[in-house]
Amino acid sequence: MNKTTLWKTVLAQLQVDLSPAIFKTWFVQTKLLGLKDGIAEIGCPSYAKNRLEERYYAQIKKVLDGLTKQKNELVFKVDTSIKVDKNKDLGPLFIPENQKTREPERQSGLFPQYTFANFIVGSNNNLAHAVASAIAEKPGKVYNPFFLHSRVGLGKTHLIQAIGNRIRKRSPRLKVIYCTGESFANELIDAIRSGDRSRSGKFRKKFRGADVWLIDDVQFIAGREATQEEFFHTFNALYLSQKQIVLTSDRPPREISKLEERLSSRFQGGMIADMQLPDLDVRAAILRLKRDQAKLDVPNEAIDFVAGAITSNIRDLEGAFLQIVTTAQGRGEEITLELAREILGQNRLAQEKKVTSRRIIEEVCTYYALKPRDLRGPRRPKNLALARQVAMYLMRTLGKMPLAEIGEVLGGRDHTTVMHGVEKIENLLPGNKQLGEQIRVIESQF
Ligand code: ADP
Ligand code: MG
């Protein structure tokens, strides 16, 4: 393996074990400068050096040693050639054989890998997909604005960028601008801070000149006064001239706290769709697609095993798969079901994040300060009944468990009781912010 590939592999493995925020902050900009006589020189931005040395030395070493089959010593060097770009997105984990770049296109900020062609459609995302493709056909004409929300790792960035990529291909004259809520806020703040009027003017002109404005993770602008003000005016200017606006967020507009009412109501003024967790078949289809595109040799049984084990979200699913692929490549072994089993056996996600009825009961009990045996027991005071219904709801939505089975693990309750419980929560959710927040917190444990 050459330096670049080796480091890419190291990062890919680390990415699986670290949260996206940590990975993005400390690791994305690192490079392997050299590896000689067991000394690995790692280039990093100056702000990251101490942290990497103190906090992540052992973790990096473990992965590197495993791949190089030798004991290495790590030396971190500040690399001034690294341009710190705090808005840089992580981009796709898997890159098809014929496109070896992981960089977004400069002008539009879009990753070419995020296309409709490699987006698997299932019952979890078919509405969102249909709306997105209609928009890509006729930007500004059908659904405007389009607000897409889901939990993390379920394909929002992929889909919003697919819209941009298709429009750019079809109508190269249309100006597509992709930004994240975070980069919009940062760019604006930089422009204001510079005190340079022409810079603020340029900022304004850039966004208001868009034919298609794609804003990913818009929730980030909430709570920021100047940013929301500017956003509101940009939104209106574009909307009034019938330019297409697409927004994504980790939750529906009315649940974004500290989002100004005038923005929230604009966001709700068009089409809203969400995406849910994919079922087993969709998960397996996604991995098969990634395998075929990257021209990897992985038997279906190994793929199906991974798809069965990782249920938390699609990014985790891809991460676990990538971990198996890179470990096998590092060891020079073929990928088999046994190897997948072995590696996933050590995977944190497969261990901790697995959605089981037991874990759902545990997490619900932790949240509401109850005992599992209360939840399973016959008593029905109001607070217990609600917690029990939340558990039913989560087993149904997160765990995709059959009603009868849910009844069974909750102390032998009838499946109709479970159905009513789930419906009760579903009916309460739209009007009950507090309950929505409670469920979100519990869900975030998975
Ligand atoms: P989000 O923006 O919702 O956090 P991403 O769009 O970053 O999620 O998706 C995470 C990963 O999962 C990406 O690599 C993406 O390509 C992949 N992915 C998500 N949904 C699908 C899908 N339906 N088909 C294929 N790949 C998908
Ligand atoms: Mg995203």
Side-chain angles (χ1 to χ4, degrees), residues 43 85 187:
D85 180 357
E187 267 188 59

Side-chain angles (χ1 to χ4, degrees), residues 169-413:
K169 202 160 168 198
R170 289 256 176 100
S171 324
R173 279 183 314 143
L174 291 185
K175 189 156 172 224
V176 177
I177 294 191
Y178 168 88
C179 68
T180 61
E182 189 177 2
S183 65
F184 181 87
N186 286 335
E187 267 188 59
L188 176 70
I189 291 163
D190 286 347
I192 296 173
R193 204 180 280 152
S194 72
D196 179 347
R197 292 262 299 279
S198 72
R199 235 179 114 180
S200 310
K202 238 165 114 185
F203 174 86
R204 198 155 288 163
K205 226 167 117 190
K206 169 177 158 191
F207 287 103
R208 296 194 191 176
D211 294 298
V212 178
W213 190 26
L214 310 170
I215 311 104
D216 205 358
D217 288 322
V218 69
Q219 73 275 3
F220 195 84
I221 68 168
R224 296 158 172 261
E225 209 176 312
T227 305
Q228 294 189 81
E229 172 81 16
E230 182 62 32
F231 196 95
F232 180 72
H233 292 299
T234 310
F235 186 101
N236 281 344
L238 292 176
Y239 182 75
L240 288 175
S241 36
Q242 294 178 9
K243 307 296 189 189
Q244 180 68 50
I245 301 170
V246 182
L247 311 118
T248 77
S249 165
D250 63 350
R251 61 197 70 186
R254 61 172 185 282
E255 284 177 29
I256 305 177
S257 68
K258 298 198 183 137
L259 181 69
E260 286 179 5
E261 166 57 31
R262 57 180 179 168
L263 282 173
S264 169
S265 65
R266 289 284 186 294
F267 295 173
Q268 286 171 74
M271 179 70 188
I272 300 189
D274 68 354
M275 292 191 288
Q276 300 293 330
L277 288 169
D279 64 19
L280 179 64
D281 290 336
V282 172
R283 296 200 298 277
I286 289 173
L287 291 187
R288 283 176 197 206
L289 176 82
K290 307 273 162 177
R291 168 193 65 190
D292 297 345
Q293 283 186 332
K295 297 210 166 43
L296 296 164
D297 197 6
V298 185
N300 284 341
E301 53 175 16
I303 292 224
D304 293 345
F305 173 72
V306 181
I310 308 284
T311 53
S312 46
N313 66 52
I314 301 169
R315 185 165 281 276
D316 290 347
L317 177 72
E318 286 188 354
F321 184 54
L322 189 64
Q323 189 180 28
I324 292 167
V325 171
T326 55
T327 309
Q329 285 171 348
R331 292 188 194 166
E333 285 176 25
E334 233 173 80
I335 300 171
T336 58
L337 176 60
E338 286 65 44
L339 186 80
R341 274 220 172 95
E342 179 203 325
I343 296 166
L344 270 201
Q346 304 153 3
N347 182 294
R348 178 180 61 90
L349 297 167
Q351 298 301 315
E352 291 171 16
K353 291 209 173 171
K354 195 153 184 192
V355 184
T356 58
S357 57
R358 217 190 74 207
R359 280 217 51 226
I360 290 177
I361 292 177
E362 271 170 21
E363 293 298 343
V364 169
C365 286
T366 310
Y367 187 87
Y368 293 106
L370 300 167
K371 297 207 172 56
R373 100 174 101 80
D374 296 335
L375 225 52
R376 292 196 198 97
R379 295 197 325 122
R380 276 189 300 183
K382 216 170 159 205
N383 68 328
L384 256 185
L386 183 76
R388 200 176 279 135
Q389 285 161 346
V390 167
M392 292 171 178
Y393 172 82
L394 289 173
M395 287 184 201
R396 192 76 183 142
T397 52
L398 269 187
K400 306 263 177 274
M401 289 168 54
L403 294 170
E405 193 182 324
I406 300 175
E408 194 57 38
V409 298
L410 283 171
R413 295 183 146 75

Side-chain angles (χ1 to χ4, degrees), residues 49-153:
K49 183 163 178 282
N50 279 343
R51 176 63 71 107
L52 289 171
E53 275 167 358
E54 281 160 20
R55 226 14 219 88
Y56 297 107
Y57 189 99
Q59 208 168 346
I60 301 171
K61 179 173 159 54
K62 190 169 156 226
V63 176
L64 187 66
D65 289 0
L67 287 168
T68 55
K69 302 198 184 79
Q70 63 178 28
K71 298 261 175 262
N72 298 286
E73 193 182 318
L74 313 185
V75 181
F76 293 91
K77 291 228 157 132
V78 172
D79 183 342
T80 46
S81 70
I82 296 175
K83 228 180 78 221
V84 179
D85 180 357
K86 48 187 183 298
N87 298 324
K88 197 168 166 175
D89 195 63
L90 289 180
L93 275 179
F94 278 88
I95 306 176
E97 259 288 294
N98 53 359
Q99 316 168 337
K100 277 300 176 200
T101 152
R102 195 194 281 270
E103 290 297 308
E105 212 202 47
R106 277 214 20 239
Q107 206 194 347
S108 61
L110 298 171
F111 288 95
Q113 289 86 3
Y114 290 135
T115 61
F116 281 107
N118 58 28
F119 189 84
I120 300 281
V121 185
S123 58
N124 58 310
N125 60 18
N126 55 5
L127 175 65
H129 174 266
V131 173
S133 30
I135 287 173
E137 295 293 323
K138 290 197 168 95
K141 299 277 191 305
V142 274
Y143 302 106
N144 207 16
F146 172 37
F147 191 99
L148 172 64
H149 65 94
S150 79
R151 291 167 41 190
V152 68

Side-chain angles (χ1 to χ4, degrees), residues 385-386 389 419-429 435:
L386 183 76
Q389 285 161 346
M419 200 166 74
H420 288 138
V422 175
E423 278 171 4
K424 173 89 183 290
I425 299 293
E426 280 170 349
N427 293 337
L428 282 175
L429 271 179
L435 180 65

